[in-house]
Amino acid sequence: MSEIGEVLVTAALSFVPWEVMWSGDGQSLFADGGSNGVVNLNAATGEERWRGPGGGVVSPDEQTVALTGGGGTEPIMEFEEPWDCSELPRSMRQACEKHNREDVGWHVVGHKEVPSWIQVRARESGAGLWSRSFPSTEVVQHPRYSPDGKLLAVSGNHTRLFDSVSGEELVELETHASSLSPTVFSRDSQLLVTADSTRLALIDVTVSGIKWVTSLPAPVTQFAFTEDDSMLVVATEHQALTLSAEDGSLVTSVDLQDPLPDRRLTVLSPDRRRLVMVGAESMALWDVADGSRRFETPVGDSARVRFNPVLPEIAIASATGLLVVNSRFGTTVWEQATDPLRDLAFSADGLRLALCGTTSAPGSGFVQVRSMSPTSVSHGICDGPVTKIALSSSPGSLAVAASHTPEAKASVFRADTGELVLVKAHPGVINALALSRDGRHFATGGSDGGARLFTTLTGEKRWQVAHHGPVNALTFLASDGGDDVITASVDKTARCLAHDTGQERWRLSHPQAVTLVTASPDGHFVATACADRSTRILNAVTGEELFRLSHDGKIRALAFNPTGSMLAAGGDDGEVLIIDTASGRVLAKSLHTREVTAAAFSHDGSLLATAGKDHAVHILDASADPPKLVSSHADTQTLTRLAFHPAEPQLALVNDEPNPAVTILDPAEGTELSRLRHPAPINDLAYSPDGKLLATACEDTLARVYPGRRGN
């Protein structure tokens, strides 16, 4: 599986392309070289299919390509033949030889007018279907198909609208040539807006007539319809405007905070909620709703930018190379120096990025396709930062993600495709999330004190139990009769709730808030962490307290080994206690110089990994008597989460800021098998029970799913 930024295809060209475009199906690339024409490439191999004049765009049904070109004048050339000087007298031979040295070859003897034109060709073969010519003084550029493919618009000195099949001209509106793409169709293909400088006009294509024309107080830099076609979002150098599509009237006007000086390019995001402007040395992003400036990023000369149509990413191509940043935070996702780049374009699925540029050889260029997938299988998009994640096993594996802002939600999506199955809104914040062993149910614990059980596929709420304070943590308890739910709450209780009804089977009161809870895989024990700095081991059937162990700081991590015979408990005192659950005796300790953040046992129970804010992960031989440290691995950042693969000798570590990533290690060798970079902090990670998938919960609103096994 390809890594992010990996080169998939490179095609060498005999000219320098200025623009690159994808076909909607992702099978073709078009490199536009201006006067050098356009070339159609196989996107999978880089093989050239055909060449044609001008630059163009692909129809929505992928069958045709519209090309425009011509205009102005071109030189009339004549070839001056060499003279035969051998028979001439000596007095004339010198002049003859000078002529052969200086005058032989092609010479401009005049100029002729070149008609402007538009033509439509078959995409695969390049065969011409129809064409129209215009006077040489006419500028014809920016061809654009309507979403239904029935209409074709071009702009320049006039905005012209054609029937895309027959070539019949339907509308002609006098405008001024503009560097921005000055025509935009509504999603239903019934409206067309055209812009020139400070004027916008809307054409009703159903009657081939102008509906309204409106003038704006400043030059237009970008515009687009909103998702329901009822409004137009219009950007100027200093404002974001919203116009009514019905009559062109101004609905809202928002000043942009600290606009860039020397602006060169403006781009609206696909959802029209964000606005990017590119200046001479930097790129900045604004929120269209309130005009707030979110971040600024340095860029190279002549930078071009594109929003990823699926992932929250912006790709920036410049003379110095490629930079990909997160579009919500501005953090760098990936970057690399390259040959000078002229343009870039994402494929429709957002997983590939096409680039074009120039090479060191004079007059030559290239088209390149790079992978933009960080080896992920899929991703689920949430409205806010993702705080918790859980996975069921294949086949038909599901992921459940908890998010917040603007409201708390539990989202269920298919782990293999990212297809959203359902969303359950919650009051307050979801503090805890867990999936049953069979994946049929998921439980949530919230800041409102509610513990809830849902059917995963339907979202049906099976039951809800109220605590007298926020639920901090919960887990499923393995049992023959069904997976009961164990909760830990600020109300100082740990409770066991029946899987089918939510009825309370037992309750254990604590002197202070219960902060963590976990259950042994064999279903025999439950462990709690309390704000009184104590770890308690309970009988899972009765809730009876069996043992209590004290710590010198808040408890941050609890983990049972697979057989339930050992419990690891670590906290702010830097100690991880390895406890014999049969006797309550401390068998050994894993010592960190700062607070402990995580602990996890391997799938066979032979290893215990502990991590801390001292940037260290310790690996202990848990099968030894007593358990002993076998290796330590230092990191450059704090490690916040640990998870062993359910079947393979692999350990997943979550690295904190400033460079968030999941690092996969061989715990025996300490060698890095893979690194999954993220653009924002990672709040949680989870393997599916069968180990085929690994999921992460990220602050950038994405729940990502990766192959579970890494490396060899």
Side-chain angles (χ1 to χ4, degrees):
M1 186 171 290
S2 56
E3 298 283 345
I4 185 169
E6 180 180 340
V7 177
L8 303 177
V9 174
T10 299
L13 301 177
S14 59
F15 60 88
V16 176
W18 289 85
E19 185 177 13
V20 63
M21 297 169 289
W22 287 92
S23 61
D25 61 5
Q27 296 182 12
S28 295
L29 283 168
F30 296 85
D32 183 357
S35 60
N36 293 301
V38 64
V39 59
N40 179 334
L41 302 170
N42 184 317
T45 65
E47 178 185 2
E48 182 176 322
R49 287 175 170 150
W50 53 263
R51 290 190 180 220
V57 65
V58 186
S59 64
D61 64 4
E62 311 294 340
Q63 300 303 306
T64 61
V65 180
L67 306 171
T68 57
T73 62
E74 66 178 28
I76 300 173
M77 307 293 292
E78 285 189 358
F79 189 81
E80 181 71 26
E81 298 285 347
W83 294 343
D84 183 2
C85 304
S86 59
E87 302 297 327
L88 294 177
R90 184 179 297 274
S91 59
M92 300 176 62
R93 190 175 300 171
Q94 186 174 4
C96 176
E97 291 173 347
K98 180 181 179 182
H99 165 81
N100 289 347
R101 285 194 310 270
E102 300 178 0
D103 299 332
V104 170
W106 290 100
H107 299 277
V108 177
V109 296
H111 290 82
K112 63 178 179 179
E113 293 186 347
V114 179
S116 297
W117 50 264
I118 177 174
Q119 59 181 244
V120 172
R121 295 184 173 214
R123 188 193 86 173
E124 288 297 321
S125 66
L129 302 178
W130 61 263
S131 64
R132 297 288 180 270
S133 297
F134 307 96
S136 60
T137 54
E138 179 81 8
V139 178
V140 179
Q141 59 188 3
H142 303 305
R144 185 182 294 274
Y145 281 94
S146 60
D148 62 10
K150 296 180 180 179
L151 302 169
L152 180 61
V154 295
S155 52
N157 307 89
H158 297 79
T159 295
R160 300 179 186 273
L161 187 64
F162 300 91
D163 182 298
S164 64
V165 177
S166 67
E168 177 188 359
E169 186 171 323
L170 305 176
V171 174
E172 178 184 340
L173 173 67
E174 185 175 354
T175 54
H176 299 286
S178 173
S179 59
L180 79 155
S181 182
T183 56
V184 175
F185 281 97
S186 60
R187 283 174 169 77
D188 61 8
S189 301
Q190 296 184 5
L191 303 173
L192 174 68
V193 172
T194 183
D196 63 350
S197 187
T198 61
R199 187 179 64 159
L200 270 78
L202 185 139
I203 299 171
D204 186 339
V205 301
T206 61
V207 296
S208 300
I210 298 173
K211 191 172 182 179
W212 53 257
V213 178
T214 188
S215 295
L216 297 174
V220 177
T221 59
Q222 191 63 261
F223 63 99
F225 279 98
T226 56
E227 291 184 352
D228 61 0
D229 291 336
S230 65
M231 303 283 181
L232 282 162
V233 177
V234 182
T236 69
E237 293 183 353
H238 300 282
Q239 291 179 310
L241 312 174
T242 305
L243 306 182
S244 167
E246 177 62 31
D247 56 13
S249 60
L250 180 65
V251 178
T252 62
S253 174
V254 175
D255 291 334
L256 299 179
Q257 179 185 0
D258 301 326
L260 284 181
D262 190 23
R263 180 207 54 78
R264 296 180 180 178
L265 180 69
T266 304
V267 181
L268 278 164
S269 65
D271 60 8
R272 320 304 185 217
R273 297 177 183 176
R274 289 155 293 163
L275 174 69
V276 158
M277 287 187 180
V278 182
E281 298 180 346
S282 63
M283 179 202 81
L285 180 141
W286 288 263
D287 189 308
V288 170
D290 59 12
S292 60
R293 182 166 166 173
R294 295 302 180 87
F295 63 81
E296 183 174 348
T297 300
V299 297
D301 293 338
S302 304
R304 301 291 299 273
V305 302
R306 294 288 185 272
F307 281 88
N308 189 312
V310 178
L311 298 173
E313 297 173 348
I314 300 173
I316 307 161
S318 69
T320 58
L322 178 64
L323 173 67
V324 180
V325 300
N326 180 271
S327 60
R328 291 186 174 91
F329 297 92
T331 52
T332 298
V333 175
W334 183 83
E335 62 181 321
Q336 188 175 67
T338 67
D339 287 331
L341 300 175
R342 299 284 190 178
D343 193 32
L344 72 169
F346 279 102
S347 58
D349 60 9
L351 298 181
R352 290 177 294 169
L353 181 65
L355 307 164
C356 68
T358 179
T359 65
S360 57
S364 66
F366 66 91
V367 169
Q368 192 176 81
V369 179
R370 290 179 179 259
S371 170
M372 285 294 104
S373 171
T375 69
S376 61
V377 174
S378 70
H379 64 269
I381 303 176
C382 299
D383 291 337
V386 189
T387 56
K388 302 289 181 182
I389 191 73
L391 278 174
S392 66
S393 285
S394 302
S397 56
L398 297 170
V400 184
S403 62
H404 60 85
T405 308
E407 63 176 337
K409 295 178 180 178
S411 302
V412 180
F413 62 94
R414 301 196 180 279
D416 57 344
T417 65
E419 176 190 358
L420 184 65
V421 176
L422 58 92
V423 176
K424 301 298 294 187
H426 284 58
V429 175
I430 300 174
N431 294 328
L433 173 71
L435 263 172
S436 61
R437 287 179 298 168
D438 58 11
R440 295 181 180 179
H441 300 94
F442 70 91
T444 61
S447 61
D448 68 331
R452 300 167 173 85
L453 184 77
F454 300 92
T455 301
T456 309
L457 277 176
T458 66
E460 174 193 1
K461 185 165 68 175
R462 301 294 300 276
W463 49 257
Q464 177 175 337
V465 174
H467 290 66
H468 298 298
V471 177
N472 287 325
L474 55 76
T475 187
F476 279 95
L477 173 66
S479 62
D480 294 337
D483 291 357
D484 292 340
V485 177
I486 310 294
T487 62
S489 174
V490 174
D491 68 5
K492 305 179 183 180
T493 66
R495 308 185 195 185
C496 179
L497 307 175
H499 72 281
D500 50 353
T501 64
Q503 181 179 357
E504 190 175 297
R505 296 193 188 277
W506 55 256
R507 176 192 301 201
L508 181 68
S509 295
H510 291 60
Q512 295 185 39
V514 187
T515 56
L516 296 175
V517 66
T518 188
S520 62
D522 63 359
H524 291 162
F525 300 101
V526 169
T528 65
C530 181
D532 69 349
R533 301 184 176 183
S534 294
T535 295
R536 289 168 173 82
I537 300 176
L538 317 179
N539 182 307
V541 177
T542 65
E544 176 191 2
E545 181 179 315
L546 301 176
F547 307 105
R548 185 186 308 178
L549 295 100
S550 297
H551 302 254
D552 289 333
K554 183 176 180 179
I555 304 157
R556 302 285 184 178
L558 292 175
F560 279 105
N561 69 349
T563 62
S565 62
M566 289 184 189
L567 172 70
D572 286 352
D573 58 2
E575 291 187 345
V576 179
L577 307 182
I578 306 171
I579 306 161
D580 176 26
T581 56
S583 65
R585 182 168 58 94
V586 175
L587 302 174
K589 296 179 181 180
S590 174
L591 301 177
H592 290 263
T593 59
R594 291 193 60 191
E595 301 95 316
V596 173
T597 56
F601 281 94
S602 61
H603 68 281
D604 59 2
S606 63
L607 299 176
L608 169 65
T610 65
K613 289 187 177 180
D614 57 359
H615 299 185
V617 56
H618 298 329
I619 307 295
L620 292 94
D621 181 353
S623 64
D625 186 14
K628 61 181 180 180
L629 181 69
V630 292
S631 64
S632 293
H633 308 287
D635 202 285
T636 58
Q637 301 177 145
T638 297
L639 303 169
T640 60
R641 297 285 191 281
L642 292 175
F644 274 97
H645 190 280
E648 303 286 341
Q650 298 185 5
L651 176 64
L653 315 173
V654 173
N655 301 86
D656 206 350
E657 296 185 278
N659 300 303
V662 175
T663 304
I664 313 296
L665 291 181
D666 180 324
E669 302 294 334
T671 55
E672 182 176 317
L673 302 176
S674 180
R675 185 175 290 260
L676 308 173
R677 298 186 183 276
H678 286 60
I682 304 162
N683 293 318
D684 197 14
L685 85 164
Y687 279 104
S688 59
D690 60 8
K692 293 182 179 180
L693 300 172
L694 171 67
T696 62
C698 187
E699 281 282 332
D700 71 347
T701 76
L702 288 191
R704 293 170 172 84
V705 180
Y706 300 89
R709 188 177 186 275
R710 317 298 300 182
N712 297 329

